[in-house]
Amino acid sequence: MYKVIFTLVLAVASFMGLHAQEFQGMAVYESKTSTSDFKTRMEGNKEMTPDMQKMIEERMKKMFEKTFILNFDKSASIYKEEEKLDTPGQGGGGMRMMMSMTGGGGTYYKNVKEKSYTVDKEFMGKEFLVKDSLPNLQWKMEGETRVIGGYNCFKATAVRPASKTDFRNLRPKKEDATKKTNLMDELDMPKEVTITAWYTPEIPVNQGPENYWGLPGLILEVNDGKTVILCSKVVLNPKVKTEIKAATKGKVTTQKEFDEIVLKKMEEFREMNQGRGGNGGMRMRIGG
């Protein structure tokens, strides 16, 4: 009980400090999605050569292990993948499409006061500007605590619908898929996923990575069972301020409209793949 009271006192003191100045903060997040499901299926596929498997694993590592920067103030934030020197030229349109569908690409702007978000996405050579309302996550406060990066954190959980256009949500199908040659046919998209978040009241902003928000403190870790997003660094009131504003370039769509466009194209890929053989289609989608 003493620990909880002490943490709340620190939070109040921090909150007063935030309002005493033009507050801004920066947090670095490491995102990693388990690829064990893909590797297991590839190892059991006799038609896939070792070189092909190695190439796909290297591509998946780049897609599913990323670093993001969250710049935030009291009401808004921008979340963007860290730029790397070797990023340009890595694959063609198919690779960029996959990057977009695994959490990367674009700038994710959240305005928690207006409960809205804007994210620019590139898909099949076209630029989109997705504007919609932030998800209404029904957080359940748990009793567990832990320390992340020196900050006292509290646990919260929520159940949310799984995005059908985010490949990180793919899970292996329960039925036997040994006769299938298409790797994607062996995986399925769940209807919902359980989210576990750790937030710190010591940084009392209603922010977090991606579209996570709604807790009384900065979210430092998110885990949905396959993807873990962990904060590795926090800088409060950095000397160099970042302009926190939404992107403006692209065709404006809602999230539902954008998802429908992506799902339609995915279905076209699936139909093309049926006439080519499973592995060829997999190379097209992952290799670009």
Side-chain angles (χ1 to χ4, degrees), residues 20-127:
Q21 55 188 307
E22 285 298 321
F23 170 77
Q24 192 175 113
M26 184 274 291
V28 180
Y29 291 87
E30 308 295 335
S31 175
K32 185 174 183 179
T33 300
S34 172
T35 58
S36 59
D37 297 334
F38 290 94
K39 291 180 180 179
T40 299
R41 294 308 192 271
M42 285 192 295
E43 290 170 357
N45 191 332
K46 297 179 180 179
E47 297 181 9
M48 187 170 293
T49 66
D51 288 342
M52 188 188 303
Q53 182 174 334
K54 182 180 179 180
M55 180 271 292
I56 293 177
E57 288 180 358
E58 290 176 350
R59 298 271 178 145
M60 286 196 298
K61 181 178 176 65
K62 292 178 181 178
M63 288 189 294
F64 292 114
E65 295 183 18
K66 303 176 182 181
T67 301
F68 293 86
I69 307 295
L70 177 73
N71 289 284
F72 58 90
D73 56 27
K74 291 175 290 186
S75 61
S77 68
I78 52 174
Y79 183 73
K80 188 174 183 179
E81 186 175 356
E82 183 183 51
E83 294 183 1
K84 297 180 181 180
L85 295 177
D86 60 348
T87 298
Q90 286 186 358
M95 186 63 176
R96 289 194 296 271
M97 179 184 74
M98 287 292 293
M99 293 289 282
S100 176
M101 297 172 71
T102 52
T107 299
Y108 202 110
Y109 170 83
K110 291 198 300 288
N111 189 312
V112 296
K113 276 191 174 181
E114 300 176 356
K115 298 181 180 180
S116 64
Y117 69 90
T118 301
V119 57
D120 53 323
K121 290 281 189 180
E122 181 183 342
F123 183 73
M124 301 302 293
K126 297 181 180 180
E127 294 184 356

Side-chain angles (χ1 to χ4, degrees), residues 11-250:
V12 172
S14 299
F15 184 74
M16 294 176 64
L18 300 191
H19 285 265
Q21 55 188 307
E22 285 298 321
F23 170 77
Q24 192 175 113
M26 184 274 291
V28 180
Y29 291 87
E30 308 295 335
S31 175
K32 185 174 183 179
T33 300
S34 172
T35 58
S36 59
D37 297 334
F38 290 94
K39 291 180 180 179
T40 299
R41 294 308 192 271
M42 285 192 295
E43 290 170 357
N45 191 332
K46 297 179 180 179
E47 297 181 9
M48 187 170 293
T49 66
D51 288 342
M52 188 188 303
Q53 182 174 334
K54 182 180 179 180
M55 180 271 292
I56 293 177
E57 288 180 358
E58 290 176 350
R59 298 271 178 145
M60 286 196 298
K61 181 178 176 65
K62 292 178 181 178
M63 288 189 294
F64 292 114
E65 295 183 18
K66 303 176 182 181
T67 301
F68 293 86
I69 307 295
L70 177 73
N71 289 284
F72 58 90
D73 56 27
K74 291 175 290 186
S75 61
S77 68
I78 52 174
Y79 183 73
K80 188 174 183 179
E81 186 175 356
E82 183 183 51
E83 294 183 1
K84 297 180 181 180
L85 295 177
D86 60 348
T87 298
Q90 286 186 358
M95 186 63 176
R96 289 194 296 271
M97 179 184 74
M98 287 292 293
M99 293 289 282
S100 176
M101 297 172 71
T102 52
T107 299
Y108 202 110
Y109 170 83
K110 291 198 300 288
N111 189 312
V112 296
K113 276 191 174 181
E114 300 176 356
K115 298 181 180 180
S116 64
Y117 69 90
T118 301
V119 57
D120 53 323
K121 290 281 189 180
E122 181 183 342
F123 183 73
M124 301 302 293
K126 297 181 180 180
E127 294 184 356
F128 295 88
L129 196 64
V130 182
K131 292 186 175 185
D132 219 316
S133 300
L134 284 168
N136 183 21
L137 298 172
Q138 300 296 315
W139 293 108
K140 177 184 177 183
M141 303 302 184
E142 309 287 354
E144 298 177 47
T145 62
R146 59 181 284 208
V147 176
I148 299 177
Y151 292 96
N152 293 301
C153 296
F154 295 83
K155 181 180 179 181
T157 58
V159 177
R160 64 176 300 174
S163 169
K164 294 182 179 180
T165 59
D166 188 339
F167 277 17
R168 296 174 300 172
N169 289 324
L170 288 171
R171 268 64 170 172
K173 288 185 176 180
K174 294 181 179 180
E175 65 267 22
D176 182 19
T178 55
K179 295 182 179 180
K180 297 178 181 178
T181 57
N182 184 356
L183 181 61
M184 300 306 295
D185 285 342
E186 300 175 15
L187 300 169
D188 201 5
M189 191 71 71
K191 292 183 179 180
E192 59 186 24
V193 291
T194 299
I195 308 299
T196 299
W198 294 89
Y199 68 95
T200 177
E202 294 172 19
I203 308 177
V205 294
N206 193 354
Q207 292 287 350
E210 295 190 3
N211 59 358
Y212 295 106
W213 72 295
L215 287 169
L218 180 65
I219 299 173
L220 296 186
E221 181 177 327
V222 175
N223 188 330
D224 71 357
K226 280 198 68 176
T227 298
V228 177
I229 305 174
L230 176 63
C231 182
S232 59
K233 179 181 179 181
V234 176
V235 178
L236 299 180
N237 289 312
K239 293 181 180 180
V240 179
K241 302 293 183 181
T242 299
E243 188 174 16
I244 298 176
K245 65 177 184 179
T248 58
K249 190 176 181 180

